[in-house]
Amino acid sequence: MTDALSIIAARITDAIAGAFGEQWAETDPIVRPSQNPKFGDYQANVAMSLGKKLGQNPRAVAEAIVARFETDGLCEKPEVAGPGFINIKLTHAFLAEAAQKLAGDPKLGVEPAETPQSIVVDYSSPNLAKEMHVGHLRSTIIGDAIVRVLEALGHEVVRQNHVGDWGTQFGMLIEHMIDSGAAEGETHIADLNEFYQAAKRRFDADAGFNERSRQRVVSLQGGDEQTLALWDKLVHESVRHADEVYTRLGVLLQDDDLQGESTYNDALPKVIEDLDAKNLLEESDGAKVVFPQGFIGKDDEPMPLIVQKSDGGYLYATTDLAAVRYRSDELDVDRIVYVTDARQKQHIAMMLAVARAAGFVRESVRTDHVTFGMVLGEDNKPFKTRAGGTVKLMDLLGDSARRAAAIVREKTPDLTDAQMAEVAEVVGIGAIKYADLSSDRNKDYVFSWQRMLALEGNTAPYMQYAYARVRSIFRKAGVDGPPAGAAVTVTEPAERALVLQLLQIGPTVRSVADNLEPHHLCGYLYDLAKAFSRFFESCPVIKAPDGATRDSRLLLCDTTARALELVLGLLGIKVLQRM
Ligand code: ARG
């Protein structure tokens, strides 16, 4: 690693080893960019934890670390502050050299991980035979960003769209498909929601239909060929709808990534058998259940995970056990990431506990559950249409592009119609994604057009605008890019602040790959855009005092634009040369 943060951490580690002996060098030094640049550029708080372990005064520990710290070319002598913080101010020369290296690096410091892993990301995963609605937005968008971050670090990602393509509702849907003519040849289902609702109405009201639907479920589960063919058609119709949404959203999911619940059907009996063989199965009211350790309900009783109903039917949990086993054994991955709403927290935790107890997951496999809150309307209630219905994703995306068009038309009236359409789509889709990704995912967030499309603040349009503004500097300067051989110099405070921000890309992306919290990328973008704004206000570029400074600043501008583009790209958001 060559970024400042890693270099500082390494030198602190060396200083600890020198001052207190090798055995303490393992202590994670935790170096952070300083919140207050007056104190320096970075701050380390290792002296507090180390002091505690050593039973020594943390300030004295900090002094001892500083005394051994090799500043050599990197920084001025670090200063100890408060209870034992170590403040570090980098030299101009180091910053200039680091910025120069960064500018010459196509990856801008986002280096491949030392040990690339193979990682399953299970995301989007809608229940089929219903049109995708706003509830599916978050898993799809957050999952996509996580996939992009992991891939940028050189990991091999196996995308798994664990769609709900199996279950008793398919009986009634298939019967309705036959009756409505949708089972014929090339017939498409135009509106999946209406189709589903019509089937449900008949299922509830018409005893004959109800009975046929139940029989159809039996045929489906019994593997009847004609029924399976009809089921297949229904699944494809649903997938076609989902694909339209994926394409318009610009997420990476492909048909190849579909690995629905139905793919695990044949593996389910063996799941039960093996749980039994491990003595994990118990009977409860005729159902087969497992009591994973550590799960106690409100009544102080152990909580069961039901894996087979009393009628022999399998459940969501059974399929998930088969899936996790497949991912560990067949796909042979190092890590599995689930992206679902927070209400599934307990389900996933219990299921994984059972999988671990049964040995369905290799011990070394890391599992993460990426949970998220709800999308709320401006009334703070679950987001609905004005009429109180579920918001279809496709309608939402169209709406966003239309609203974006109105804003862009006002700001930049001279775009052609074709340019306008492109800008509106990129801004509209970007705004929706960014609004979702920029809020701490565990919280609910309020869906507000006004906020997400604002040209100021932590929004996609602001970042896209910042990008286009940098590009316009080059147009005004009459050059394509920074001059070859431009050398970075860092003297003005605003230049320093910008460079420090640029150097944070690598560490930020690496930390997101670990904590899977994409809002840190948005926070990064916002800080970068603000640092650039300040730089641009206080450091003339085209009218720089001399040619060398102008070249240096042009290079910083270009690097900033590339950084914005790269990080927005990790969020699945596009940039525009003009907007
Ligand atoms: N189909 C589920 C739902 O809509 C989400 C599936 C998530 N993935 C999993 N392996 N359980 O709630």
Side-chain angles (χ1 to χ4, degrees):
M1 306 288 166
T2 51
D3 59 87
L5 208 61
S6 311
I7 297 176
I8 295 169
R11 294 208 185 170
I12 290 185
T13 305
D14 288 347
I16 293 175
F20 302 102
E22 276 299 331
Q23 72 270 34
W24 299 105
E26 292 289 302
T27 316
D28 183 359
I30 308 186
V31 181
R32 291 203 186 84
S34 180
Q35 292 304 311
N36 186 347
K38 248 196 259 155
F39 299 139
D41 301 320
Y42 292 93
Q43 188 166 71
N45 59 4
V46 66
M48 274 72 106
S49 56
L50 189 56
K52 209 179 258 163
K53 284 188 207 154
L54 293 166
Q56 292 184 23
N57 174 332
R59 245 196 108 92
V61 172
E63 298 288 359
I65 294 173
V66 167
R68 293 275 187 152
F69 190 99
E70 288 280 351
T71 54
D72 171 38
L74 175 69
C75 57
E76 293 154 27
K77 187 170 164 15
E79 281 179 11
V80 178
F85 290 114
I86 301 172
N87 292 328
I88 289 147
K89 192 164 165 65
L90 301 173
T91 62
H92 286 335
F94 176 84
L95 274 180
E97 199 189 311
Q100 189 84 45
K101 250 195 232 146
L102 195 77
D105 173 5
K107 294 185 154 73
L108 293 173
V110 182
E111 298 162 34
E114 273 166 39
T115 34
Q117 293 189 317
S118 164
I119 306 173
V120 159
V121 182
D122 173 328
Y123 70 115
S124 193
S125 308
N127 289 330
L128 293 185
K130 279 195 189 169
E131 197 156 323
M132 289 182 78
H133 56 81
V134 66
H136 297 118
L137 190 65
R138 302 210 72 185
S139 178
T140 308
I141 291 178
I142 295 169
D144 188 62
I146 288 174
V147 168
R148 289 174 194 263
V149 165
L150 295 174
E151 285 183 344
L153 292 172
H155 298 297
E156 187 209 328
V157 176
V158 188
R159 299 182 294 253
Q160 294 277 279
N161 196 354
H162 189 87
V163 296
D165 59 355
W166 201 249
T168 46
Q169 76 276 24
F170 281 92
M172 87 184 180
L173 291 166
I174 290 172
E175 283 305 313
H176 186 56
M177 200 159 77
I178 297 172
D179 296 355
S180 66
E184 311 290 323
E186 293 291 292
T187 323
H188 287 311
I189 301 173
D191 189 322
L192 270 180
N193 283 1
E194 258 169 42
F195 184 85
Y196 186 93
Q197 279 153 15
K200 181 88 175 78
R201 271 196 301 276
R202 295 183 62 204
F203 186 80
D204 292 338
D206 177 342
F209 181 80
N210 186 299
E211 183 47 35
R212 275 197 280 139
S213 300
R214 289 178 191 282
Q215 269 162 24
R216 189 58 79 177
V217 175
V218 177
S219 312
L220 182 63
Q221 289 176 344
D224 170 61
E225 245 169 65
Q226 188 218 352
T227 304
L228 277 177
L230 290 167
W231 167 81
D232 201 54
K233 170 150 194 201
L234 190 58
V235 166
H236 273 92
E237 282 294 287
S238 302
V239 166
R240 207 169 49 84
H241 279 274
D243 276 345
E244 273 173 42
V245 174
Y246 295 151
T247 304
R248 183 141 191 203
L249 263 183
V251 296
L252 297 167
L253 278 172
Q254 302 287 325
D255 281 353
D256 276 0
D257 307 322
L258 275 174
Q259 186 87 359
E261 294 182 10
S262 67
T263 42
Y264 302 102
N265 284 345
D266 294 344
L268 302 180
K270 182 122 173 54
V271 167
I272 305 295
E273 230 171 81
D274 293 346
L275 289 172
D276 200 17
K278 296 249 165 195
N279 279 327
L280 291 165
L281 268 196
E282 295 188 38
E283 290 255 334
S284 168
D285 292 332
K288 297 207 163 82
V289 306
V290 183
F291 291 99
Q293 254 177 30
F295 292 87
I296 306 294
K298 286 202 195 84
D299 51 3
D300 279 343
E301 294 291 319
M303 293 197 299
L305 184 76
I306 310 178
V307 291
Q308 191 168 23
K309 292 190 284 190
S310 52
D311 67 3
Y314 301 107
L315 299 101
Y316 185 49
T318 330
T319 307
D320 260 331
L321 287 170
V324 77
R325 187 179 213 181
Y326 164 78
R327 292 164 186 180
S328 173
D329 292 356
E330 311 280 318
L331 296 178
D332 197 18
V333 294
D334 305 300
R335 185 178 179 188
I336 305 173
V337 178
Y338 293 87
V339 188
T340 82
D341 75 69
R343 286 170 298 187
Q344 300 202 27
K345 211 179 189 127
Q346 180 161 302
H347 160 77
I348 297 282
M350 288 180 79
M351 180 278 291
L352 288 174
V354 171
R356 295 260 178 214
F360 292 167
V361 200
R362 273 175 297 117
E363 224 155 274
S364 62
V365 175
R366 166 172 170 181
T367 54
D368 296 90
H369 188 191
V370 171
T371 52
F372 49 81
M374 281 194 295
V375 185
L376 303 177
E378 303 210 47
D379 56 1
N380 272 316
K381 302 217 178 86
F383 191 48
K384 291 262 161 28
T385 60
R386 247 188 238 166
T390 44
V391 180
K392 291 187 190 176
L393 265 189
M394 224 36 191
D395 295 346
L396 197 69
L397 302 183
D399 209 4
S400 191
R402 258 191 310 283
R403 286 168 192 266
I407 292 169
V408 176
R409 193 166 292 126
E410 194 174 311
K411 200 164 169 66
T412 325
D414 61 326
L415 295 179
T416 65
D417 284 354
Q419 282 171 328
M420 180 66 79
E422 190 207 341
V423 172
E425 189 71 16
V426 170
V427 173
I429 302 295
I432 287 193
K433 287 187 171 178
Y434 198 93
D436 195 307
L437 293 166
S438 59
S439 64
D440 179 343
R441 61 176 165 73
N442 275 306
K443 302 208 177 100
D444 298 340
Y445 81 95
V446 174
F447 194 96
S448 155
W449 290 119
Q450 203 193 349
R451 198 167 341 131
M452 73 177 68
L453 285 167
L455 288 164
E456 289 292 335
N458 193 10
T459 67
Y462 178 62
M463 301 312 151
Q464 290 167 324
Y465 182 64
Y467 177 86
R469 186 161 77 152
V470 185
R471 285 295 166 226
S472 78
I473 297 168
F474 288 93
R475 278 198 297 278
K476 280 195 200 115
V479 291
D480 287 340
V488 181
T489 49
V490 181
T491 47
E492 297 297 316
E495 285 174 330
R496 263 190 97 77
L498 177 60
V499 166
L500 281 165
Q501 202 48 46
L502 288 169
L503 293 177
Q504 275 304 109
I505 299 191
T508 306
V509 175
R510 280 198 291 281
S511 77
V512 171
D514 183 48
N515 60 34
L516 307 177
E517 290 179 347
H519 72 278
H520 295 301
L521 293 175
C522 300
Y524 172 79
L525 281 171
Y526 194 35
D527 289 343
L528 177 63
K530 281 189 292 193
F532 181 77
S533 232
R534 263 177 247 125
F535 159 82
F536 197 61
E537 276 157 29
S538 55
C539 303
V541 178
I542 300 177
K543 295 207 173 85
D546 56 77
T549 307
R550 177 179 188 261
D551 288 358
S552 163
R553 290 181 180 169
L554 279 171
L555 188 54
L556 288 181
C557 285
D558 182 64
T559 310
T560 303
R562 286 170 50 211
L564 290 168
E565 183 174 14
L566 186 144
V567 179
L568 282 169
L570 294 178
L571 300 174
I573 296 173
K574 293 191 184 135
V575 293
L576 294 151
Q577 298 308 310
R578 284 197 63 190
M579 69 177 264

